Amino acid sequence: MNEIKFLILMDLEIKPSAEEDLEDIKEKEDVERIVNKITDIEDRLDMGVKPDTAIEKRLSGNWSPMLQQRAGDYRIWFVEGSRTRAGDNDTVYCIRILPKEDQQKLFGVDINPETYL
């Protein structure tokens, strides 16, 4: 019997919070590295790669709905719309771009990704 597989293509949407974070980054090389990582992720999602595979890792604990991608000294946070009430099921949202030090200061804080959608 032939098995039919359907690819679920996901859109990537950059939220204003992530755009503002990117505007605050001073070094051109850092901005380019981050944009390249986001573009690579978008390309993978366009090929039907699942978000868990397209993006480096899922955060743990209270942050488990979020995914994180490293880009040099920065951390890019994403959330799948299907894991939220406010998001679209076929969309991955880029919600924050933080320096590693700022991201680490947030450990232990209960962050609700819905606030960024």
Side-chain angles (χ1 to χ4, degrees), residues 97-108:
I97 302 168
L98 299 169
K100 180 181 178 182
E101 298 81 30
D102 290 353
Q103 182 255 353
Q104 289 176 334
K105 290 176 189 174
L106 295 173
F107 282 134

Side-chain angles (χ1 to χ4, degrees), residues 7-115:
L7 291 178
I8 309 238
L9 303 180
M10 305 286 286
D11 292 325
L12 178 66
E13 184 178 319
I14 311 292
K15 299 307 287 182
S17 52
E19 290 175 352
E20 291 169 12
D21 290 340
L22 192 59
E23 289 172 5
D24 290 341
I25 299 171
K26 305 286 186 248
E27 297 296 323
K28 180 181 175 185
E29 297 82 16
D30 290 332
V31 171
E32 289 174 355
R33 182 179 299 116
I34 291 164
V35 169
N36 286 339
K37 287 284 186 179
I38 293 171
T39 301
D40 288 346
I41 291 167
E42 184 174 32
D43 290 346
R44 287 186 223 132
L45 293 172
D46 285 346
M47 291 186 300
V49 176
K50 293 180 182 179
D52 282 0
T53 305
I55 301 168
E56 188 172 27
K57 73 177 191 174
R58 182 167 301 283
L59 297 177
S60 60
N62 292 334
W63 293 6
S64 65
M66 293 192 291
L67 298 158
Q68 176 179 283
Q69 178 68 50
R70 290 178 297 172
D73 291 333
Y74 289 86
R75 302 300 180 257
I76 310 167
W77 285 352
F78 300 86
V79 66
E80 297 169 79
S82 62
R83 293 181 174 262
T84 67
R85 288 186 298 272
D88 293 330
N89 285 343
D90 61 346
T91 303
V92 174
Y93 299 92
C94 179
I95 59 172
R96 293 301 309 264
I97 302 168
L98 299 169
K100 180 181 178 182
E101 298 81 30
D102 290 353
Q103 182 255 353
Q104 289 176 334
K105 290 176 189 174
L106 295 173
F107 282 134
V109 175
D110 186 12
I111 294 178
N112 182 353
E114 303 264 348
T115 61

